[in-house]
Amino acid sequence: MWSKFVHTVLFIGCFSIAWSQSKSEIVQQRIEFISEQLESEEVDLTDVVQILNYHLDKPLNLNSATSNQLKELGLLTDIQINDLLLHIKQFGKLISIYELQSLKYWDLQTIQLVLPFIRVDDKLDQLHVSLKEALKYGKFEAFLRYQTIPEPKSGYADVPDSIKQQSNKYYYGNPDRYYTRLRYSYRTNISIGVTAEKDPGEQFFRGAQKNGFDFYSAHAYYKGGKYIRGIALGDFQVQIGQGLNFWSGYAFNKTADVSNIKKNAQPLRPYTSVDESRFMRGVGLDLGYKKWGLTVFGSHKKVDGSVVSDSLLDEFEFVSSINLSGLHRTNSEIAKRNTLSETIFGSNLRYQSRGFSAGIAGVSQGYNVEFSRPTLPYNQFDFRGKQMNSISADYAYVWRNINLFGEISRSSHLNQLAILQGFILALDSRASLSILYRNYGRGYHTFYNNAFSEGSRTQNESGIYFGYRMKMGNAWTLNTYYDVFQYKWLKYQIDAPSTGHEFLAQLSYKPNKQLEVYGRFRQQLRQRNSRDSDGTITPIEDVFQRNYRINLSYQVTENVQLKSRIEYVTINRNSNTPEQGMLFTQDVVIKPKSSPIDVALRYALFDTDSYDSRLYSFESNALYVFSVPAYFYQGSRAYILVRYTFLRKFDLWVRYGNFIYSNRTSLSSGPEEIAGNRKSDVTVQLRMTF
Amino acid sequence: MNQLRLTLVLLLIASTGWSQGVIPMGARSNALANASVALEDVWSYHHNPAGLSDLKSIEVGVSYENRYLLPAFQNQGVVLVAPLKKGVISVGAQLHGYRLYRSNRIGLGYSMRLSEKFSAGVQVNYHSLRIENYGTAGTATGEFGFQAKINSKVTLGASVSNIGRNQLIEIQNDRYSTYLRLGLSYKLSERVLTLLEAEKEIESRLRVKGAVEYQLIEQFYFRLGAASNPVEVTSGFGIQFKTQWKLDFGMGWHQQLGISPNIGMSYAFKSKKNVE
């Protein structure tokens, strides 16, 4: 009885401390957590930020939330969701937040994590949306963003037009990036928006970009009808199953958060990012009848690619490469712009009950021109042709503490198969085990997929992944995974079938809300072509990489937080001298409650032997701008980010940062080359909310 | 403690070595990537003699493993354990090989709980190696281990095999491998057991192993383990019939060499002490 009282008091205490953090800080922390796992400069967590920000304002009512709504948060595992739904089914609606403690697979950490985004009460959320209400209570948001790199790059040199037109080394436009986004939304049900972006080097209302921005995107999206569950016009995203067949958005694969290896597909979503290639443009419809759902979509859009005219037959053209960067700055890039069109249509039939879901899908995808490339041993089985189809089936089953899921997909290209089978076991509320097996055919190909893999494509890979997560006591958490994989065929720069493994262990200590320390060790063994190649056949060698990291985050006072990190990497391979790299970052975040100004500062020192031994680190930037730059060579980095909120409707972000390298006289190469040893970046963003 | 110091001094003597002689036996341990230096069951005979010190009744176990499905690499292990008035005595054997090559080991061990938190065990084994047309050779080695209960959930274990770094034959400095193992077991809850171990054989690289054992339902266990150098992943199941019979089976997997299935069984005789 006494312990129960103490427990409740402590819980109330945690509850109140959670709310003393500002709302944006909570989402920021979540984004940081996710980004820290990723080692890529291209990170797009727009969807994650949007969902979380929305639910901070309108907490999700656990008593009436559907399984899909809970999955959308991205904070709970399927087993935890099922646990909650089963509890409500058995014992009726939750009476209070504290009842969450009685759930078997919800530990205190999970509850604290979701607390800001949920509520428990009797009120039923309105099911139907009337137009009047939508207009009255909707939210309008506008973003204006300007980014630039002040140092002159060689691509922007002032050369006469005659030279520019003959060469591929010069950019026509100015070095600024302009971005604007206008969006009208009502809860998560309605979203109408326009996005436009001009990349650095592209022109504005001139030349190849006569219509103003280089990239425009618009969407109109509605969700929530009884039978018409979703409808999307314009630019949208489609996600199916575990991503083997079709997944057009961003997805996380291997991260230190081992319980999140299962993907939760959102059949139809509006597209609001600026990746200029990974989206659908057309119409998408999501219909439903009770437990059944049917998504049909069609997309027709232009794609950049190098079109080559056949030398003998003038009319016959084929495409030798597809360009996904979306950059149209130089002559060659502009020549590739919108040269071919891609047509995709598909459908996905789904059945979903509380613990079980299954689906089948078929997608037809093709270009208007034949895709062909010179045959080299490593790309022998890659897609060539004009059109292909794929069909797939997926399922997910949750029973008590076991979650099974899987997908199988077949591509009409060479009749190749891809299989994924996963298994998550919640051993306890404090420990969970995940196992994932995948086997992707060496020629397996679909246009838009994004399944769990070590390689960057869902192709030519088989492997098995084990993840284990354990909480010891109240403060310690261990996250570890071991992934053992093989490539059955050659790959680019790997001239033989190869094997490898990846191991990660992260131990965190979080004794209270103010302090968190974690140590991470990661070991990767991959095989690459040996650099000592003296003959016709290049042997492959083991490349052994080890990353060590210690990270500390300390809330010194209510307004000031300090974050420090040291990371060290070593790379060993036979054909090269051992390389190492080191990064040390120190961040200060000042968010005074009474002031409309927030400041984030960083000072970092780094020293790596080469680009290979680079280290990534998440940096704070304006809302919806995701920065995870690579730190390499020797030097220092500093940035300051200021956010000013005024008139209740406006937010202004200004960020200035720079890299100062030592022992370098120039940075980057080609048109991106900067003379000198300094590279700065400026970002300014204004947001208006009505 | 003196014994431990002596062991460490002996280990510091560097010389050439040859890995053979101790084969991790026991299907339960095999399914846990052999991260079993901090475990306490009948198979501790082959991993850490101190793990036998708390056994209360006479127990016998047999285990079989086939490495990489190759007929030449078959391992059999047996163990018989009997508690005495003070301490526990054990007899065990390992058989490895086939007609052309046989490497066997048989020995005697004694383990005792020295205090509430500390237990230790010693063992003497006789190795014999027989290669067709080449004859046989034999030598004796000594093993030692201890376990310490750090708290109700965590146990620390350490063991050394072939303390004396005994040689197979004088010529060519052929020594049986000496292993030093140090590990932890963490009982997260009634149903979840986590193991972590670091193993170092003098000639080989450090091997780190980790494993999880989960009691799915009463009497049924699921095991998963992974080890480095070489990279190996293991899994297995265990069934416990009426607290006396235990059946374990599982499989190890090596990326290039393939699957090593294993199976084992043990039986605990009811003793007067058990009947309470």
Side-chain angles (χ1 to χ4, degrees), chain A residues 221-289:
Chain A
Y221 175 79
Y222 166 74
K223 178 174 96 167
K226 191 167 171 196
Y227 297 113
I228 299 183
R229 303 236 173 109
I231 179 165
L233 296 168
D235 294 345
F236 59 96
Q237 281 175 349
V238 175
Q239 295 171 353
I240 298 176
Q242 293 297 310
L244 269 67
N245 184 4
F246 201 91
W247 189 282
S248 73
Y250 191 74
F252 314 118
N253 288 324
K254 274 188 274 189
T255 68
D257 190 2
V258 302
S259 41
N260 262 329
I261 55 165
K262 175 182 180 289
K263 290 184 167 61
N264 282 319
Q266 310 274 321
L268 216 56
R269 264 173 141 169
Y271 181 71
T272 51
S273 305
V274 284
D275 178 322
E276 297 182 32
S277 42
R278 290 188 75 84
F279 62 94
M280 297 288 96
R281 179 166 277 175
V283 182
L285 196 60
D286 187 23
L287 306 163
Y289 178 69

Side-chain angles (χ1 to χ4, degrees), chain A residues 466-538:
Chain A
F466 300 93
Y468 182 63
R469 184 171 180 274
M470 176 168 79
K471 237 191 144 251
M472 301 169 284
N474 277 328
W476 295 88
T477 310
L478 173 70
N479 265 304
T480 171
Y481 70 72
Y482 204 18
D483 185 34
V484 182
F485 51 84
Q486 290 114 269
Y487 300 120
K488 289 165 284 199
W489 185 243
L490 284 56
K491 279 172 80 82
Y492 180 61
Q493 294 191 330
I494 308 178
D495 289 352
S498 56
T499 61
H501 72 257
E502 181 175 349
F503 171 72
L504 182 141
Q506 179 168 311
L507 186 62
S508 6
Y509 176 59
K510 192 171 178 172
N512 49 45
K513 277 261 157 195
Q514 283 77 40
L515 175 69
E516 182 175 3
V517 186
Y518 75 78
R520 179 190 298 185
F521 170 70
R522 189 161 89 129
Q523 173 173 301
Q524 285 175 290
L525 176 71
R526 289 168 292 192
Q527 293 181 313
R528 295 270 181 282
N529 281 346
S530 167
R531 289 188 182 158
D532 307 323
S533 175
D534 57 344
T536 44
I537 298 176
T538 313

Side-chain angles (χ1 to χ4, degrees), chain A residues 311-537:
Chain A
S311 49
L312 290 178
L313 309 159
D314 263 336
E315 332 83 37
F316 179 73
E317 294 177 314
F318 59 91
V319 172
S320 61
S321 69
I322 307 267
N323 197 14
L324 298 172
S325 66
L327 297 167
H328 307 112
R329 310 163 297 185
T330 65
N331 279 320
S332 56
E333 286 171 356
I334 293 171
K336 289 182 195 167
R337 188 162 185 255
N338 293 344
T339 47
L340 61 153
S341 61
E342 169 198 85
T343 309
I344 300 185
F345 48 91
S347 65
N348 176 214
L349 178 67
R350 289 180 315 277
Y351 171 78
Q352 185 159 6
S353 68
R354 185 185 36 78
F356 176 71
S357 70
I360 53 171
V363 182
S364 164
Q365 48 226 287
Y367 300 117
N368 64 334
V369 183
E370 184 101 3
F371 182 75
S372 165
R373 35 202 308 218
T375 304
L376 294 168
Y378 81 87
N379 68 25
Q380 201 176 358
F381 302 105
D382 284 2
F383 172 70
R384 284 168 179 82
K386 215 166 161 178
Q387 204 268 345
M388 56 156 285
N389 304 317
S390 54
I391 54 170
S392 64
D394 69 277
Y395 82 97
Y397 179 53
V398 182
W399 178 66
R400 291 205 204 161
N401 62 336
I402 299 175
N403 186 359
L404 287 169
F405 59 94
E407 185 173 6
I408 179 167
S409 173
R410 187 166 161 285
S411 159
S412 67
H413 169 67
L414 301 178
N415 285 331
Q416 293 274 296
L417 221 53
I419 302 174
L420 184 146
Q421 176 57 49
F423 174 66
I424 301 179
L425 186 60
L427 304 176
D428 200 61
S429 69
R430 290 161 296 161
S432 76
L433 187 65
S434 341
I435 303 174
L436 193 144
Y437 169 72
R438 70 235 186 234
N439 192 334
Y440 308 142
R442 60 187 179 182
Y444 177 79
H445 180 81
T446 66
F447 283 24
Y448 291 90
N449 56 36
N450 198 339
F452 187 96
S453 61
E454 158 71 17
S456 52
R457 293 194 290 170
T458 307
Q459 184 185 354
N460 187 26
E461 180 176 325
S462 69
I464 185 154
Y465 162 100
F466 300 93
Y468 182 63
R469 184 171 180 274
M470 176 168 79
K471 237 191 144 251
M472 301 169 284
N474 277 328
W476 295 88
T477 310
L478 173 70
N479 265 304
T480 171
Y481 70 72
Y482 204 18
D483 185 34
V484 182
F485 51 84
Q486 290 114 269
Y487 300 120
K488 289 165 284 199
W489 185 243
L490 284 56
K491 279 172 80 82
Y492 180 61
Q493 294 191 330
I494 308 178
D495 289 352
S498 56
T499 61
H501 72 257
E502 181 175 349
F503 171 72
L504 182 141
Q506 179 168 311
L507 186 62
S508 6
Y509 176 59
K510 192 171 178 172
N512 49 45
K513 277 261 157 195
Q514 283 77 40
L515 175 69
E516 182 175 3
V517 186
Y518 75 78
R520 179 190 298 185
F521 170 70
R522 189 161 89 129
Q523 173 173 301
Q524 285 175 290
L525 176 71
R526 289 168 292 192
Q527 293 181 313
R528 295 270 181 282
N529 281 346
S530 167
R531 289 188 182 158
D532 307 323
S533 175
D534 57 344
T536 44
I537 298 176

Side-chain angles (χ1 to χ4, degrees), chain A residues 401 423 425-428 430-431 433 435 464 466 468 470-473 482 484-486 499-501 544, chain B residues 153 186 188-189 191-194 205 212 214 216 222 224 226-233 253 255-256:
Chain A
N401 62 336
F423 174 66
L425 186 60
L427 304 176
D428 200 61
R430 290 161 296 161
L433 187 65
I435 303 174
I464 185 154
F466 300 93
Y468 182 63
M470 176 168 79
K471 237 191 144 251
M472 301 169 284
Y482 204 18
V484 182
F485 51 84
Q486 290 114 269
T499 61
H501 72 257
F544 204 63
Chain B
K153 292 189 173 195
Y186 176 59
L188 177 77
S189 74
R191 295 182 149 210
V192 183
L193 181 66
T194 316
R205 293 162 70 183
V212 176
Y214 174 59
L216 233 63
F222 171 63
L224 196 62
S228 68
N229 289 330
V231 171
E232 204 169 351
V233 169
W253 178 67
Q255 225 175 356
Q256 281 88 14

